[in-house]
Amino acid sequence: ARAFGTLFHLNDRQGELFFYMHQQMLARYNTERLAHDLDPVVPLSDLTAPIAEGYDPGPALKQFDGFRERLPGRTLASEDAAQLDTWRSAIQTATQDGQFLGPTGPVAITRTNIGENVEGTVARLRPQMDREIYRGLHNFGHNFISSRSEPDDEGQSFGVMASTRTAIRDPVFWRWHKEIDELNYQWQQTQD
């Protein structure tokens, strides 16, 4: 436990910086879209709707990393969409109530723990939070979207959204992060 705590810990203001980084990336992306006469990115808020944008990682990423394409119009698996919606609703409820639920009682929302709970930092590093309610909407969303890619020769579906190194290549990355940013915005609206 001591070694784990030494090697793995939350950085100072980790959750706050998680939201800030994504907010700044979205601002830059929307500025570039505006410069090309494109509308701002639309959040991926309806988790049951087909994702219009597809993505093909190209031959190099397919060969060397095993990524597969995600065809246009794919939907999240119904159980994945339901789980993400449950976790998103839990964050929205906490925002409305001004507190998270923890194993020993309520925990006041701060500008950093909201980001930690949405991101899904390691549950062991957030023992004051209910691990089942705040599993990590953001991180699981990446994985669930990745799983909608075409299967490889072994039947595994692995898209670029599963890797921090490549996720930004997929257009749905921006839609997913706009949805995540909306949660931060909803919380910010409750602040003075």
mmCIF file of all heavy atoms in Angstrom, residues 24-43:
data_model
loop_
_atom_site.group_PDB
_atom_site.id
_atom_site.type_symbol
_atom_site.label_atom_id
_atom_site.label_comp_id
_atom_site.label_asym_id
_atom_site.label_seq_id
_atom_site.Cartn_x
_atom_site.Cartn_y
_atom_site.Cartn_z
ATOM 1 N N GLN A 24 -9.874 23.898 -22.994
ATOM 2 C CA GLN A 24 -8.975 24.631 -23.875
ATOM 3 C C GLN A 24 -8.822 23.931 -25.227
ATOM 4 O O GLN A 24 -8.768 24.583 -26.273
ATOM 5 C CB GLN A 24 -7.605 24.807 -23.207
ATOM 6 C CG GLN A 24 -7.650 25.701 -21.995
ATOM 7 C CD GLN A 24 -8.234 27.068 -22.311
ATOM 8 O OE1 GLN A 24 -7.743 27.768 -23.197
ATOM 9 N NE2 GLN A 24 -9.283 27.444 -21.615
ATOM 10 N N MET A 25 -8.773 22.608 -25.223
ATOM 11 C CA MET A 25 -8.691 21.868 -26.486
ATOM 12 C C MET A 25 -9.938 22.111 -27.327
ATOM 13 O O MET A 25 -9.851 22.315 -28.540
ATOM 14 C CB MET A 25 -8.515 20.371 -26.214
ATOM 15 C CG MET A 25 -7.149 20.010 -25.712
ATOM 16 S SD MET A 25 -6.921 18.281 -25.212
ATOM 17 C CE MET A 25 -7.982 17.359 -26.248
ATOM 18 N N LEU A 26 -11.102 22.100 -26.689
ATOM 19 C CA LEU A 26 -12.353 22.341 -27.410
ATOM 20 C C LEU A 26 -12.411 23.768 -27.954
ATOM 21 O O LEU A 26 -12.892 23.984 -29.070
ATOM 22 C CB LEU A 26 -13.552 22.079 -26.507
ATOM 23 C CG LEU A 26 -13.899 20.610 -26.309
ATOM 24 C CD1 LEU A 26 -14.807 20.439 -25.107
ATOM 25 C CD2 LEU A 26 -14.539 20.039 -27.564
ATOM 26 N N ALA A 27 -11.921 24.734 -27.179
ATOM 27 C CA ALA A 27 -11.910 26.122 -27.651
ATOM 28 C C ALA A 27 -11.048 26.243 -28.910
ATOM 29 O O ALA A 27 -11.447 26.890 -29.887
ATOM 30 C CB ALA A 27 -11.395 27.053 -26.555
ATOM 31 N N ARG A 28 -9.897 25.605 -28.895
ATOM 32 C CA ARG A 28 -9.013 25.651 -30.059
ATOM 33 C C ARG A 28 -9.661 24.955 -31.261
ATOM 34 O O ARG A 28 -9.651 25.456 -32.379
ATOM 35 C CB ARG A 28 -7.676 24.989 -29.710
ATOM 36 C CG ARG A 28 -6.752 24.737 -30.881
ATOM 37 C CD ARG A 28 -6.182 26.014 -31.447
ATOM 38 N NE ARG A 28 -5.450 25.791 -32.664
ATOM 39 C CZ ARG A 28 -4.138 25.680 -32.739
ATOM 40 N NH1 ARG A 28 -3.403 25.761 -31.657
ATOM 41 N NH2 ARG A 28 -3.563 25.499 -33.900
ATOM 42 N N TYR A 29 -10.245 23.783 -31.022
ATOM 43 C CA TYR A 29 -10.878 23.024 -32.098
ATOM 44 C C TYR A 29 -12.042 23.803 -32.697
ATOM 45 O O TYR A 29 -12.178 23.892 -33.921
ATOM 46 C CB TYR A 29 -11.339 21.668 -31.558
ATOM 47 C CG TYR A 29 -11.947 20.760 -32.590
ATOM 48 C CD1 TYR A 29 -11.180 20.237 -33.628
ATOM 49 C CD2 TYR A 29 -13.283 20.386 -32.514
ATOM 50 C CE1 TYR A 29 -11.729 19.380 -34.568
ATOM 51 C CE2 TYR A 29 -13.841 19.525 -33.446
ATOM 52 C CZ TYR A 29 -13.061 19.033 -34.475
ATOM 53 O OH TYR A 29 -13.612 18.186 -35.394
ATOM 54 N N ASN A 30 -12.873 24.400 -31.859
ATOM 55 C CA ASN A 30 -14.004 25.179 -32.369
ATOM 56 C C ASN A 30 -13.544 26.420 -33.117
ATOM 57 O O ASN A 30 -14.179 26.842 -34.086
ATOM 58 C CB ASN A 30 -14.970 25.539 -31.246
ATOM 59 C CG ASN A 30 -15.973 24.432 -30.991
ATOM 60 O OD1 ASN A 30 -16.343 23.691 -31.899
ATOM 61 N ND2 ASN A 30 -16.409 24.325 -29.754
ATOM 62 N N THR A 31 -12.435 27.008 -32.695
ATOM 63 C CA THR A 31 -11.877 28.159 -33.419
ATOM 64 C C THR A 31 -11.443 27.729 -34.820
ATOM 65 O O THR A 31 -11.701 28.433 -35.805
ATOM 66 C CB THR A 31 -10.691 28.754 -32.644
ATOM 67 O OG1 THR A 31 -11.159 29.191 -31.367
ATOM 68 C CG2 THR A 31 -10.062 29.914 -33.386
ATOM 69 N N GLU A 32 -10.801 26.582 -34.905
ATOM 70 C CA GLU A 32 -10.390 26.072 -36.213
ATOM 71 C C GLU A 32 -11.602 25.743 -37.079
ATOM 72 O O GLU A 32 -11.604 26.004 -38.283
ATOM 73 C CB GLU A 32 -9.490 24.851 -36.038
ATOM 74 C CG GLU A 32 -8.147 25.213 -35.443
ATOM 75 C CD GLU A 32 -7.276 24.017 -35.141
ATOM 76 O OE1 GLU A 32 -7.672 22.873 -35.446
ATOM 77 O OE2 GLU A 32 -6.183 24.230 -34.597
ATOM 78 N N ARG A 33 -12.648 25.188 -36.475
ATOM 79 C CA ARG A 33 -13.873 24.899 -37.229
ATOM 80 C C ARG A 33 -14.484 26.198 -37.752
ATOM 81 O O ARG A 33 -14.901 26.274 -38.906
ATOM 82 C CB ARG A 33 -14.872 24.131 -36.357
ATOM 83 C CG ARG A 33 -14.449 22.692 -36.067
ATOM 84 C CD ARG A 33 -15.474 21.954 -35.226
ATOM 85 N NE ARG A 33 -16.742 21.796 -35.925
ATOM 86 C CZ ARG A 33 -17.035 20.822 -36.783
ATOM 87 N NH1 ARG A 33 -16.124 19.907 -37.058
ATOM 88 N NH2 ARG A 33 -18.210 20.759 -37.363
ATOM 89 N N LEU A 34 -14.532 27.216 -36.905
ATOM 90 C CA LEU A 34 -15.069 28.517 -37.304
ATOM 91 C C LEU A 34 -14.266 29.098 -38.467
ATOM 92 O O LEU A 34 -14.831 29.640 -39.420
ATOM 93 C CB LEU A 34 -15.052 29.477 -36.110
ATOM 94 C CG LEU A 34 -15.552 30.886 -36.350
ATOM 95 C CD1 LEU A 34 -17.031 30.891 -36.717
ATOM 96 C CD2 LEU A 34 -15.327 31.735 -35.105
ATOM 97 N N ALA A 35 -12.950 28.952 -38.415
ATOM 98 C CA ALA A 35 -12.087 29.474 -39.478
ATOM 99 C C ALA A 35 -12.361 28.787 -40.815
ATOM 100 O O ALA A 35 -12.078 29.350 -41.876
ATOM 101 C CB ALA A 35 -10.619 29.302 -39.096
ATOM 102 N N HIS A 36 -12.930 27.591 -40.768
ATOM 103 C CA HIS A 36 -13.244 26.852 -41.985
ATOM 104 C C HIS A 36 -14.735 26.822 -42.272
ATOM 105 O O HIS A 36 -15.225 25.944 -43.007
ATOM 106 C CB HIS A 36 -12.690 25.422 -41.884
ATOM 107 C CG HIS A 36 -11.200 25.377 -41.896
ATOM 108 N ND1 HIS A 36 -10.450 25.497 -43.034
ATOM 109 C CD2 HIS A 36 -10.316 25.262 -40.873
ATOM 110 C CE1 HIS A 36 -9.175 25.439 -42.738
ATOM 111 N NE2 HIS A 36 -9.057 25.298 -41.427
ATOM 112 N N ASP A 37 -15.462 27.789 -41.699
ATOM 113 C CA ASP A 37 -16.910 27.919 -41.891
ATOM 114 C C ASP A 37 -17.678 26.659 -41.494
ATOM 115 O O ASP A 37 -18.661 26.285 -42.145
ATOM 116 C CB ASP A 37 -17.243 28.295 -43.343
ATOM 117 C CG ASP A 37 -16.760 29.690 -43.688
ATOM 118 O OD1 ASP A 37 -16.836 30.571 -42.800
ATOM 119 O OD2 ASP A 37 -16.307 29.893 -44.821
ATOM 120 N N LEU A 38 -17.225 26.005 -40.442
ATOM 121 C CA LEU A 38 -17.921 24.837 -39.906
ATOM 122 C C LEU A 38 -18.596 25.218 -38.593
ATOM 123 O O LEU A 38 -18.122 26.093 -37.867
ATOM 124 C CB LEU A 38 -16.938 23.687 -39.655
ATOM 125 C CG LEU A 38 -16.226 23.147 -40.890
ATOM 126 C CD1 LEU A 38 -15.132 22.169 -40.484
ATOM 127 C CD2 LEU A 38 -17.223 22.468 -41.820
ATOM 128 N N ASP A 39 -19.694 24.564 -38.295
ATOM 129 C CA ASP A 39 -20.392 24.816 -37.031
ATOM 130 C C ASP A 39 -19.563 24.300 -35.861
ATOM 131 O O ASP A 39 -18.742 23.392 -36.030
ATOM 132 C CB ASP A 39 -21.754 24.117 -37.032
ATOM 133 C CG ASP A 39 -22.716 24.743 -38.027
ATOM 134 O OD1 ASP A 39 -22.601 25.954 -38.292
ATOM 135 O OD2 ASP A 39 -23.589 24.003 -38.538
ATOM 136 N N PRO A 40 -19.793 24.845 -34.665
ATOM 137 C CA PRO A 40 -19.101 24.314 -33.478
ATOM 138 C C PRO A 40 -19.443 22.842 -33.277
ATOM 139 O O PRO A 40 -20.482 22.350 -33.729
ATOM 140 C CB PRO A 40 -19.658 25.155 -32.323
ATOM 141 C CG PRO A 40 -20.212 26.386 -32.961
ATOM 142 C CD PRO A 40 -20.666 25.979 -34.336
ATOM 143 N N VAL A 41 -18.560 22.149 -32.589
ATOM 144 C CA VAL A 41 -18.755 20.724 -32.330
ATOM 145 C C VAL A 41 -20.016 20.518 -31.485
ATOM 146 O O VAL A 41 -20.326 21.307 -30.606
ATOM 147 C CB VAL A 41 -17.506 20.108 -31.656
ATOM 148 C CG1 VAL A 41 -17.285 20.641 -30.268
ATOM 149 C CG2 VAL A 41 -17.578 18.607 -31.637
ATOM 150 N N VAL A 42 -20.747 19.466 -31.819
ATOM 151 C CA VAL A 42 -21.999 19.135 -31.127
ATOM 152 C C VAL A 42 -21.704 18.035 -30.112
ATOM 153 O O VAL A 42 -21.062 17.038 -30.449
ATOM 154 C CB VAL A 42 -23.055 18.650 -32.149
ATOM 155 C CG1 VAL A 42 -24.313 18.194 -31.455
ATOM 156 C CG2 VAL A 42 -23.340 19.731 -33.173
ATOM 157 N N PRO A 43 -22.156 18.192 -28.868
ATOM 158 C CA PRO A 43 -21.868 17.157 -27.870
ATOM 159 C C PRO A 43 -22.522 15.817 -28.210
ATOM 160 O O PRO A 43 -23.569 15.769 -28.846
ATOM 161 C CB PRO A 43 -22.445 17.730 -26.570
ATOM 162 C CG PRO A 43 -23.327 18.848 -26.953
ATOM 163 C CD PRO A 43 -22.954 19.287 -28.334
#
